[in-house]
Every structure is written in C-alpha cells, then in structure tokens.
Amino acid sequence: MRLQIGLFGRTNVGKSSFLNLVAGQEVAVTSPVPGTTTDVVEKAMELLPVGPVVFLDTAGIDDNSELAGARMKKTLAVFDRADVYVLITESPVWGGYEERIAAEAKAHGAPLISIINKIDLGVPDVSFLAAVQAATPNVVQCSSTDTGNRDTAVNAFKRLLLDTVPEGFLDSPPIIGDLLPPSGLAVLIVPIDLEAPKGRLILPQVQTIRDALDNDAAVLVVKEREFASIVQTLGRTPDLVVCDSQVVLKMTADTPSDVPCTTFSILFARAKGDLDELASGAAVIGRLRSGDRVLIAEACSHHAAQDDIGRVKIPRWLRQFTGADLTIDVCSGREYPGDLGRYRLVIHCGSCMLTRREMLWRLHRAREAAVPVTNYGVAISVLQGVVERVLHPFPSALAAYRDAGAHTGYVN
Ligand SMILES: Nc1nc2c(ncn2[C@@H]2O[C@H](COP(=O)(O)OP(=O)(O)OP(=O)(O)O)[C@@H](O)[C@H]2O)c(=O)[nH]1
Ligand SMILES: [Mg+2]
C-alpha cells in the first residue's frame, strides 16, 4: 500500500514545481500561467526513509474560470484519497482557501504539512507565518525552483513525513511469524549470563515469543549449554533456531546444517530497520584499514558492563579481525553525530529502545552521508565467520551482503 500524498494549494504557488523538486526530475509540467495542472498528476516513487509513496499533484481550485468546475471535482476527490495533506503556500497569501485545506485535513484525520514556497522572492511575512503555524506545526520553507536548496528542503520534508505518517504505513515486517509454518517450532537460545536482567527475559525475546504464538507456532526457550542435548530429545527438527548474537558461534556449531538459524539481532534489524541495508553495510568490515574511523551507535544509555558488547567486545573483535589500527567512537542514547561523513562504517545497536521511525531516520542520515551502516548482530556474525549462515533465512539480505562484498572484490 503506497502512502498517498496530496499536494494542494492555489494555482501558480508551485505545487508541480515542488513535486519536481522532490522527484529530482521533471515529472509534472509547470508554467507561469495559473491553471497549468488541469488533471490530477500521479507520481509513484520510493521515497526513503518513508517507503513507497504516490504524489497526487492537484489543480488549484481557487480560480473562477470555465474549466474550474471540472478541475475542482477532481481535486475534491483527492481530499478523500490523500493520507497526508501537503499545502503549498507563498507569502503573504493566506486566506479562506488555505483554511479550507487545513479543515479538510482535520476532517479526514490526515496530517497536514505546509510548504512555504518561493522563499527566494523574499522573507515570509510575519502575520502570514503566524497563520501558517496556527494551521500546522509542520512547516518547511523552500524554493522549489532552486536546486541548490533541494537537499535541505527535501530532507526537512521527509523528516516531517516520517514523523507524521499514520502508524499503519510504517508497519514493520513480522519478527518471526513469517519464518514459521503453522504448528511450526522455533527454538530460542537465551544465555543467562551476568548481563541478563534478574528474574526476567528482555523485551526482544518476549516479543519474539509473542509473535510466534500469534502465528500459531510453538517456541522452546533454552540456554546455549542445554540446546544440543534437548533438541535431540525432541523427536522433530525445529523450523528455526534463534540465538543471542553473543553465542552465535556455538549455535551454528550445534545446529544441524539443514536447520535454518539466525540471531535476535538480525530478526530485529528486519523488523525495526532495513535488514538488506544493514547486511550490505556489514561487507565493509572486511575492508577496514588502519586509520579508518568506526562509529558504534548505542541507542540506550545503559550502565556499561565490564565486558560491554558495544564498548569492549565489538571493538576488540573488530581490531582482531581486521588487524587494523582503527579509531572507534561510541555514541549513546539520543545523540547521533551530525558529521557522520567522517566514518567509514556505523555499527548500530539492535535498537530495541528506538521506534521504527527513529531507526529509519538514522539509516537515512547515514545514507545521506554515504556511510555504510550495519548493526551489532550482523557485525558479530561477520566477525565470527558465520554471517552467510545466519542471513540464509533472508535471501534478499544475503544477496545484498554478497553483492556489496563482490562489488569490491571482498570475499568473506
Ligand atoms: N521564484 C520562484 N518561482 C517558482 C518557485 N516555485 C515555482 N515557481 C514558478 O511559479 C510558476 C508556477 O509554478 P507551478 O509549479 O506550475 O505552479 P502550480 O501550483 O503547479 O500551478 P497550477 O498547476 O497552475 O495550479 C512557474 O513559473 C514556476 O517556475 C519558487 O520557489 N521560486
Ligand atoms: Mg501545477
């Protein structure tokens, strides 16, 4: 299901020009003559980090010409279709027409984003700005005909879109349900070590169990030491084995080669972010060289244990694996550096503390800075030499990993 984005505004404010700016190409005809767009122009595209969208460029319905009646009918139909309303304005014009669009958005329960266009022609008027802001807090100022401001304007627009899109459009892929047949069996290997919280399982483990149950499958939870012997007594082969990344080497050794296996971290990379991208980022690990800078990004600010995974173990394994003199920075909690461009690779945590929106935005930021990103789980499985095995249940991610490696001659 594509997110339908309606572009509204008076004739000649630059609706079609804004669409062309976002698309990065001339998809809609623009001209100084009001009433250029007469029919709804639809443009489908993949707008990362939001996903598949379709823009509906409408005709302005503020003129009183003969054609206006027909045009108005088509634009009115878009009121019902749009999931997000984008109102294009130009200072100082704000009046009943703009109020009507804002009211329609409200009546349809759709978020409203306002684009103040043509800012190259002058600083927006103060009372106009106040009127725009009274209608919506989601405002971007831009000049649609100035390609120099494209990155800033389009990025600001994408951020607002990601923040406001209705929940259903960012629906995560399932955690594990689609990997199990009905009445299937998943074995979850959960180490109970010093880092395990007292008296309970952690959220990703609980969510995985719940998702299996929602899909009419069964779950066996076991520690890594008992895994091999207990599985032998089952009388059936598990459909999937999942482990904590820290015991991935033992899991792959103890799991028969015809049984699919993966890690919690990889399951959540898929559910929270973009597994294909994180898999292809992992191919960079083998190409790290002395002097390269790596960012370890941790979303929670937990108290670092002595043998902390992000601060101690991954840096140690990275240096051992690459033999390179790497500079490794760690950021935690809400901080995520603005200058990502200085890093050769970002290794992100499993992001159990982040929403899918937040994680998608972090991936987008790295993509914009042309920095590959991977996550703890995928990185650890590369460092342990088992990445192809644990990506095997996800063919497109495995292909992305291989492509990224093969591309530059890297062979795992
Ligand atoms: N200076 C300046 N001109 C712009 C900007 N955006 C659009 N224009 C110009 O404004 C005119 C109208 O632009 P369109 O994109 O066709 O406007 P529209 O809202 O789609 O108009 P209709 O389809 O007629 O409703 C064109 O001449 C554009 O080049 C801008 O940011 N700055
Ligand atoms: Mg137009």
Side-chain angles (χ1 to χ4, degrees), residues 196-310:
K198 219 169 165 359
R200 60 181 174 86
L201 296 176
I202 60 173
L203 187 60
Q205 295 157 354
V206 175
Q207 287 173 319
T208 306
I209 294 172
R210 175 61 198 260
D211 193 48
L213 295 177
D214 282 342
N215 286 279
D216 307 329
V219 175
L220 169 69
V221 185
V222 62
K223 287 183 296 182
E224 72 278 19
R225 260 189 304 157
E226 287 77 31
F227 167 60
S229 59
I230 290 183
V231 164
Q232 277 180 3
T233 66
L234 282 179
R236 67 175 283 182
T237 315
D239 297 293
L240 183 67
V241 177
V242 183
C243 73
D244 184 284
S245 296
Q246 306 212 39
V247 296
V248 69
L249 203 53
K250 180 156 174 53
M251 175 192 70
T252 50
D254 289 349
T255 305
S257 59
D258 59 337
V259 175
C261 62
T262 193
T263 67
F264 285 106
S265 187
I266 288 171
L267 289 180
F268 279 81
R270 184 174 73 133
K272 280 282 174 70
D274 182 336
L275 179 59
D276 293 2
E277 184 159 352
L278 296 165
S280 103
V284 170
I285 293 174
R287 302 198 294 273
L288 291 172
R289 297 286 172 263
S290 291
D292 281 345
R293 204 173 257 276
V294 175
L295 176 68
I296 306 244
E298 209 171 64
C300 57
S301 34
H302 66 276
H303 181 71
Q306 211 180 14
D307 213 11
D308 194 67
I309 186 77

Side-chain angles (χ1 to χ4, degrees), residues 132-194:
V132 176
Q133 257 139 16
T136 174
N138 312 313
V139 182
V140 178
Q141 299 200 16
C142 95
S143 170
S144 295
T145 44
D146 171 12
T147 45
N149 99 139
R150 178 171 190 271
D151 285 354
T152 322
V154 174
N155 247 335
F157 174 64
K158 286 178 172 182
R159 174 82 239 205
L160 287 180
L161 209 53
L162 190 64
D163 284 346
T164 56
V165 339
E167 207 49 63
F169 287 96
L170 289 179
D171 266 355
S172 334
I175 299 170
I176 193 174
D178 61 325
L179 303 170
L180 301 171
S183 305
L185 173 68
V187 176
L188 309 184
I189 305 177
V190 174
I192 303 295
D193 55 15
L194 288 176

